[in-house]
């Protein structure tokens, strides 16, 4: 229940922050821009719209995670507003879970909003047949952002906002390359291959949430893929929040 | 038991709570690694890495797009069209066009329009048929089920400036005709190309297919006529009755 | 809505010997045994003492003043008790519940020093959230939030964004957030900080009101008159150790009391020779303060001042004993440190 209250409060903070409305506006501007650029694409305007639209959701969401998520806990410690919370009967894990849930919730709202905007643009072009693939791609983008938000909460509870943003970005990059790392690990000798394999496992497996290629062609992914992606996101987020709780438990607030 | 008694009974020290959080984190982490490994094996990304190794420049670019290869490809597509248009109106020199389309199709191997446009532009305005051929073959390797690309490669051979390659053209028209979503003209193009490449026996059976399966009675009549021509040519030994030397295609750029 | 009920108004000022049985912790609002906090620098590995071996018992319903100079360990103690710092060793209980358990803070109201709040909330939203986090239901929290906002003088504009609050308003809001859920124990770190005299008066009244209701209060302060006025007992912490603890009541009957008379409009006025050793003067801004060393002279001095046409603005008894207690404790600590 306390985690829910913290989540509600964090959601309120995120949605009252001008950043989120700025991001929504930026996303809508990008969608409009795709329609302006469409005639230049020699008949591939649909592809352009879907690709840029879905990329905008991911990139703008990542921007929010880096700017807001990385200071989520660090800012509270810095400004000492955390004293008012942790001196109440709330456990530290509940606090972290609440922080994650609040920001992830706000990001789902942004994802859904921009996804709906993309869908409306496609409808206006007469491409209603892409609804299902857009829905799937948007859902996976939301899962991806939830995973990256958990990483941001972990770093934010241990470090300053700037360092936390850098660590989160670093982990995001390694996560995007995780399939490449696995592949390289298979072609290099022993100690390096172990290192690469470990990095690929530790970093979030972000390509799992990427179906932009399929969506561009209007194709759907399998329900099994969606199920595996959902399960992976849930397990990874839980793992990261447990580790954050372990580290946060002994933290002193001077 | 009162609240106080319950709290006293279950009060865990900081160390115990940390240990529990670490243990849960490790278990969940192991589960996440397992799921990630499974996903990497069973749900590979839409683009297998080994096919990209044929084009190292494109392969190196893809990781830099951080999962947004399709969008980067779209932006490269817009650029490629601009490049083509500018040089078509100016100097008809397309020195970089091969490289641009190579990058583009490495980023988005399923972008069929890019192969098509690129190959024909390279073959005709670019006067670089070998490169055009390589581009189309790359497209077919990445999209083995694409009837469109197979047909277009056949057509590329058919209109090859300086000398058609009718046998190759026929081969790809036939391949296209066998694939789902084949253009309706693929079968008769295959028959036509076989016939005029001198391969009368195969051409005869291809025309027979057209006659037996075409919905268009006009096409069935044409097929019947060509079959009779081929039969007479084979019976009399006068191949010139069925085989015609087709004019050599040239590219005229004004 | 649960109306704040009136609890028993007993004042407990009896010094208890430190018990060993954990059951006795239930009868105490605050109990600490060997509570210590040391900091080790990760670079130099040097160990700094924040607090060492605190043994303290505060009975339910008592008001304890926690004194000490800056850096003595007052805030460290309060943060250890409220779970913001983890003890290096030792134990403590709040109302019988170990501080390691979040349940120990359910009936606690804590006001940190110079509280900060969320910019994006208004007063009502913040208090409601605070109440809910301490276990109140949503509707009840909302009602109590409005009540306490009014009670601390912020009720005029409940929807004013906290970003626009002044320092004094933030302090009042902090107090309200400590009280919104009707706690049994109040721990306040410098509750008068940042308040004007009217604000300080209001806080004193609030503390007294809570005390009348049987709430235990522990607060740290630099302002000795406030401590002396409000507290049953006073603890002095110096250099991370509890130096002295005494009932204020023991000091009340100390004969030597100084009184300060603050006046304005003093022009040329000479202290009568008879009072040359017992009455001194000092300038205090545009006012003059006459310090009367012996209380029994007060009436005569006042009469003389009024005859002289001076305007008397304030008469403040100075419990020299509390200040002396504090100063002598501080001096002996200095001696120990330099020895």
């Amino acid at each position: 229940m306390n985690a829910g209250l913290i989540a509600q409060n964090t959601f309120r903070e995120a949605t009252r922050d001008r950043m989120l409305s700025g991001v929504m506006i930026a996303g809508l501007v990008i969608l409009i821009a795709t329609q302006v650029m469409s005639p230049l694409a020699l008949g591939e305007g649909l592809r352009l719209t879907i690709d840029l639209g879905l990329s905008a959701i991911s990139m703008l969401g990542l921007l929010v995670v880096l700017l807001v998520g990385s200071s989520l806990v660090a800012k509270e410690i810095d400004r000492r507003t955390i004293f008012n919370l942790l001196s109440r009967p709330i456990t530290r894990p509940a606090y972290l879970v609440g922080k994650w849930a609040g920001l992830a919730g706000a990001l789902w709202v942004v994802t859904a909003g921009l996804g709906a905007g993309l869908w409306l643009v496609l409808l206006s072009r007469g491409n209603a047949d892409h609804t299902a693939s857009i829905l799937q791609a948007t859902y996976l983008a939301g899962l991806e952002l939830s995973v990256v938000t958990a990483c941001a909460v972990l770093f934010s509870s241990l470090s300053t906002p700037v360092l936390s943003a850098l660590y989160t970005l670093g982990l995001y990059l390694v996560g995007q390359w995780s399939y490449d790392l696995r592949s390289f690990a298979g072609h290099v000798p022993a100690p390096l291959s172990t290192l690469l394999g470990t990095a690929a496992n530790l970093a979030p497996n972000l390509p799992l949430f990427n179906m932009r290629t399929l969506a561009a062609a209007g194709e759907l992914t399998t329900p099994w893929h969606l199920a595996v992606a959902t399960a992976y996101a849930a397990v990874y987020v839980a793992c990261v929040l447990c580790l954050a709780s372990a580290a946060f438990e002994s933290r002193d607030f001077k | 038991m009162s609240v106080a008694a319950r709290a006293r009974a279950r009060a865990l020290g900081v160390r115990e709570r940390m240990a529990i959080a670490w243990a849960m984190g490790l278990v969940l982490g192991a589960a996440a690694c397992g799921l990630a490994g499974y996903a990497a094996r069973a749900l590979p990304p839409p683009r297998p890495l080994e096919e990209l190794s044929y084009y190292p420049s494109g392969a190196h670019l893809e990781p830099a797009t951080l999962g947004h290869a399709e969008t980067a490809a779209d932006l490269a597509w817009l650029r490629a069209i601009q490049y083509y248009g500018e040089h078509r109106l100016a100097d008809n020199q397309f020195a970089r066009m091969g490289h641009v389309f190579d990058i583009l199709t490495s980023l988005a191997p399923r972008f069929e329009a890019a192969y098509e446009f690129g190959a024909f532009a390279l073959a005709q305005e670019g006067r670089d048929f070998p490169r055009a051929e390589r581009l189309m073959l790359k497209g077919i390797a990445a999209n083995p089920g694409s009837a469109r690309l197979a047909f277009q490669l056949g057509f590329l051979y058919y209109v090859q400036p300086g000398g058609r390659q009718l046998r190759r053209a026929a081969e790809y028209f036939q391949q296209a005709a066998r694939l789902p979503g084949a253009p309706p003209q693929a079968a008769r193009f295959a028959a036509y190309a076989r016939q005029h490449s001198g391969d009368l026996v195969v051409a005869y059976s291809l025309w027979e297919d057209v006659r037996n399966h075409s919905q268009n009675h006009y096409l069935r009549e044409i097929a019947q006529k060509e079959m009779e021509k081929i039969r007479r040519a084979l019976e009399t030994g006068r191949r010139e009755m069925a085989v015609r030397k087709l004019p050599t295609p040239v590219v005229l750029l004004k | 809505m649960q109306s704040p009920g009136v609890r028993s108004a007993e004042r407990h000022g009896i010094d208890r010997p430190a018990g060993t049985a954990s059951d006795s912790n239930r009868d105490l609002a605050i109990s600490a045994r060997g509570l210590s906090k040391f900091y080790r620098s990760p670079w130099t590995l040097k160990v700094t003492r924040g607090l060492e071996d605190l043994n303290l018992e505060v009975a339910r319903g008592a008001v304890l003043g926690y004194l000490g100079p800056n850096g003595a360990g007052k805030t460290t103690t309060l943060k250890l008790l409220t779970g913001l710092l983890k003890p290096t060793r030792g134990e403590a209980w709040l109302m019988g519940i170990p501080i390691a358990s979040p349940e120990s803070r359910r009936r606690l109201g804590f006001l940190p020093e110079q509280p900060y709040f969320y910019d994006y909330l208004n007063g009502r939203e913040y208090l409601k959230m605070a109440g809910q986090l301490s276990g109140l239901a949503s509707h009840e929290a909302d009602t109590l939030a409005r009540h306490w906002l009014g009670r601390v003088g912020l009720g005029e504009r409940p929807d004013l964004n906290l970003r626009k609050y002044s320092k004094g308003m933030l302090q009042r809001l902090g107090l309200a957030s400590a009280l919104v859920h009707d706690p049994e124990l109040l721990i306040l770190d410098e509750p008068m900080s940042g308040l004007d005299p009217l604000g300080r008066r209001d806080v004193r009244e609030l503390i007294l009101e809570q005390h009348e209701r049987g709430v235990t209060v522990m607060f740290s302060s630099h302002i000795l008159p406030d401590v002396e006025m409000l507290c049953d007992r006073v603890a002095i912490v110096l250099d991370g150790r509890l130096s002295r603890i005494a009932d204020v009541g023991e000091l009340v009957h100390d004969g030597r009391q100084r009184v300060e008379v603050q006046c304005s409009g003093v022009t040329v006025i000479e202290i009568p020779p008879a009072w040359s050793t017992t009455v001194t003067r000092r300038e205090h801004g545009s006012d003059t303060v006459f310090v009367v060393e012996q209380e029994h002279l007060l009436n005569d001095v006042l009469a003389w001042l009024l005859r002289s046409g001076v305007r008397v603005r304030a008469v403040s008894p100075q419990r020299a004993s509390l200040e002396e207690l504090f100063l002598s404790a501080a001096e002996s600590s200095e001696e120990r440190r330099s020895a």
Side-chain angles (χ1 to χ4, degrees), chain B residues 165-243:
Chain B
Q165 294 191 55
L166 290 173
R167 282 190 188 246
R168 288 243 171 108
E171 214 174 278
Y172 283 99
F173 286 141
Q174 276 174 265
Q175 182 175 317
R178 285 195 293 269
L179 292 168
Q185 62 274 38
R188 70 174 185 282
F189 275 42
Y192 189 85
R194 280 283 175 205
Q195 181 178 337
H196 296 292
S197 74
D199 197 344
L200 293 177
V201 173
V202 175
Y204 185 87
S205 65
L206 290 174
W207 279 121
E208 197 174 23
D209 256 344
V210 172
R211 186 200 60 185
N212 293 342
H213 296 112
S214 178
Q215 305 293 319
N216 186 331
H217 84 95
Y218 178 67
L219 287 176
R220 290 199 296 275
E221 275 180 26
I222 290 180
Q224 185 64 43
K225 279 200 191 110
E226 296 299 323
M227 283 167 70
E228 281 166 13
K229 247 193 239 174
I230 291 172
R231 199 175 30 246
R232 277 201 301 276
L234 287 172
E235 281 167 0
T236 59
R238 289 170 59 195
R239 300 175 75 78
E240 64 278 11
M241 290 174 78
V243 178

Side-chain angles (χ1 to χ4, degrees), chain B residues 1-11, chain C residues 23 26 96-98 103:
Chain B
M1 212 190 218
S2 69
V3 167
R6 273 203 300 274
R8 276 198 299 278
R10 68 157 190 261
Chain C
D23 284 348
R26 268 197 299 263
I97 304 173
E103 280 306 303

Side-chain angles (χ1 to χ4, degrees), chain A residues 162-237:
Chain A
V162 172
L163 283 177
S164 168
L166 289 174
Y167 295 149
T168 306
L169 181 61
L171 201 60
Y172 175 83
L173 293 178
V174 177
Q176 287 292 355
W177 295 329
S178 62
Y179 280 177
D180 298 297
L181 288 174
R182 282 175 200 277
S183 175
F184 292 151
H187 294 110
V188 294
L192 189 58
S193 67
T194 313
L195 185 68
L196 291 175
T198 308
N201 273 320
L202 288 179
N205 187 359
L206 298 181
L208 183 57
F209 306 111
N210 180 357
M211 66 164 273
R212 288 183 275 274
T213 308
L214 291 175
E219 292 172 22
L220 296 175
T221 185
T222 61
W224 181 238
H225 176 194
L226 293 175
V228 171
T230 307
Y232 178 75
V235 170
Y236 194 89
V237 166

Side-chain angles (χ1 to χ4, degrees), chain C residues 4 8 19 40 60 66 111 118-119 124 152 176 178 192-193 215 228 250 257 263 300 309 320:
Chain C
S8 69
R40 183 188 292 276
R60 290 193 187 238
Y66 204 59
L111 173 67
Y118 300 115
D119 285 349
R124 187 181 47 77
V152 297
M192 317 295 189
S193 159
V215 173
E228 192 255 322
E250 289 170 18
Q257 280 187 42
C263 307
D300 293 333

